[in-house]
Amino acid sequence: MSDPARSEEIVLAFLAEAGDEFLSGEAISDKLGLSRAAVWKHVNALRAQGYRIEAIPARGYRLVEIPDRLGELELRPLLNTHDLGQALHWFAEVGSTNDVAKRLADEGAAHGAVVVAEAQTAGRGRRGRVWASPAGRNVYLSVVLRPDLPPSRAAELTLLASVALCQAVRQAGVPAGIKWPNDLLAGGRKLAGILTELATDPDRVQWLVLGIGVNVNIREDELPGELRAIATSLAIERGESVPRTLFAAAVLSALEEWLDRHAEEGFPPVREAWKAMSDTLGREVRVRSSDRNLEGVAEDVDDGGALLIRTAAGLERVLAGDVEMLRPR
Ligand code: BTN
């Protein structure tokens, strides 16, 4: 094993797999074909990067704490996915992970490539809005997908992403709901958003980038003043911080499960799950889209992912727009 970074990664993965158990230096060196001195060197290199590894004579090594960073070394051992995150591109700071992912997709990045950043200087939301992206608190990631779908069915993946994200958020102990098409709300405040961008050929999607932003550990007093009333985070909702690496890994595995299911069974199960997690259906809403404003009761989501609104004039179908709830729950 000649590449020291790779060996470090393997020592770490081995320690992570052992959980709370101690692993003897001998067991590690036998298993990985390294000398005891090399194991010691890798453990120290990991410590220098912020890993807390306990070493007790006659018992061995135990991983006690991983640094709060979403780098390859931290995330890779937690991933149980077959495609998502197989290629991982980590940045301490980037303009927008979506821009990087789009460039990589244009250059031929494989299905499942993930771009993740600790901070974004030009984080973007839907409809040209800014996505506040301070360092080290939240999750900003973009996934390159190459689905075998015609462009007319691309919207299905945006709803699918919100279902997967909502599942991961609920697993993290926060009872979130989805505002059409793909905002996650908790207690009426925004927790996460998804920005989908794509390139198409006439008859199929060439690539689709799902950009996912989740407020994870940002505190109320760290939110910009104008967001305080309308935004929240997992930590604010739970009253305690959430390990970002575990959460990011849970998002990617939920996303992959739903993508696999969608590839097998199509949109119906996604639509049913979306409806069950919806915070929009049955409520009075105002919808603003580029060409019209509508008011009425959000009645359903159809098999193309469009929102159906019962207005005074009848049932209207909306494919893209911004939903505002007219009454709190
Ligand atoms: C929205 O709700 O308006 C969508 C927000 C999407 C934000 C994420 S953060 C990672 C990715 N990079 C971006 O610039 N935007 C998305």
Side-chain angles (χ1 to χ4, degrees):
M1 226 180 277
S2 52
D3 175 0
R6 181 79 192 120
S7 306
E8 245 164 71
E9 204 180 294
I10 294 172
V11 170
L12 178 63
F14 200 41
L15 286 169
E17 209 180 284
D20 283 346
E21 302 285 309
F22 278 91
L23 281 180
S24 71
E26 197 180 351
I28 304 177
S29 64
D30 283 357
K31 173 89 182 173
L32 306 180
L34 295 165
S35 68
R36 300 281 294 269
V39 170
W40 176 240
K41 209 178 83 203
H42 292 315
V43 164
N44 278 337
L46 288 166
R47 284 174 168 160
Q49 294 173 65
Y51 291 85
R52 227 158 48 80
I53 299 170
E54 212 174 351
I56 297 189
R59 294 190 74 186
Y61 301 102
R62 185 165 73 118
L63 181 60
V64 182
E65 199 179 300
I66 59 176
D68 183 23
R69 193 172 46 214
L70 295 169
E72 173 140 30
L73 213 50
E74 296 79 31
L75 206 47
R76 164 104 36 231
L78 304 174
L79 288 180
N80 59 3
T81 46
H82 49 80
D83 289 333
L84 300 201
Q86 290 310 304
L88 256 181
H89 305 264
W90 175 86
F91 296 86
E93 185 179 282
V94 81
S96 153
T97 54
N98 261 37
D99 292 344
V100 178
K102 281 162 54 177
R103 181 174 49 73
L104 292 172
D106 271 335
E107 291 167 3
H111 173 80
V114 168
V115 178
V116 57
E118 301 295 332
Q120 299 184 114
T121 52
R124 294 184 283 113
R126 288 170 59 234
R127 313 190 137 243
R129 282 185 284 250
V130 168
W131 186 258
S133 310
R137 285 279 188 257
N138 301 324
V139 166
Y140 319 111
L141 63 81
S142 300
V143 186
V144 175
L145 301 178
R146 296 192 181 274
D148 188 11
L149 282 181
S152 58
R153 292 187 54 196
E156 295 178 13
L157 296 189
T158 298
L159 296 197
L160 178 152
S162 65
V163 165
L165 192 54
C166 191
Q167 188 176 307
V169 163
R170 288 183 179 182
Q171 271 163 11
V174 174
I178 309 171
K179 185 176 90 159
W180 187 87
N182 56 12
D183 285 351
L184 251 67
L185 304 183
R189 295 193 292 174
K190 184 147 164 173
L191 190 61
I194 298 168
L195 176 65
T196 307
E197 299 183 275
L198 71 168
T200 60
D201 288 332
D203 57 347
R204 64 185 289 275
V205 172
Q206 217 177 76
W207 51 253
L208 183 143
V209 166
L210 286 175
I212 297 176
V214 187
N215 293 337
V216 179
N217 286 330
I218 195 155
R219 297 192 313 260
E220 201 124 28
D221 61 307
E222 293 171 322
L223 284 168
E226 70 281 9
L227 293 186
R228 235 163 262 170
I230 55 171
T232 187
S233 70
L234 295 180
I236 295 171
E237 296 301 314
R238 273 187 23 164
E240 61 178 352
S241 64
V242 171
R244 287 186 309 143
T245 28
L246 286 176
F247 177 71
V251 168
L252 292 175
S253 66
L255 191 55
E256 190 166 89
E257 272 170 35
W258 277 104
L259 286 166
D260 287 350
R261 182 138 188 225
H262 180 259
E264 291 255 311
E265 298 173 50
F267 189 51
V270 177
R271 177 177 175 223
E272 284 318 303
W274 191 96
K275 286 168 70 169
M277 293 173 176
S278 156
D279 193 39
T280 307
L281 298 185
R283 296 183 67 177
E284 253 179 79
V285 295
R286 178 179 299 128
V287 184
R288 291 195 177 83
S289 52
S290 46
D291 55 342
R292 58 186 179 159
N293 287 348
L294 290 173
E295 270 187 38
V297 175
E299 203 167 273
D300 203 354
V301 161
D302 71 11
D303 54 13
L307 184 64
L308 303 180
I309 303 178
R310 175 74 54 191
T311 70
L315 199 60
E316 300 279 350
R317 186 169 186 266
V318 184
L319 265 169
D322 253 351
V323 170
E324 185 192 334
M325 312 291 179
L326 293 178
R327 280 179 230 291
R329 271 230 192 271

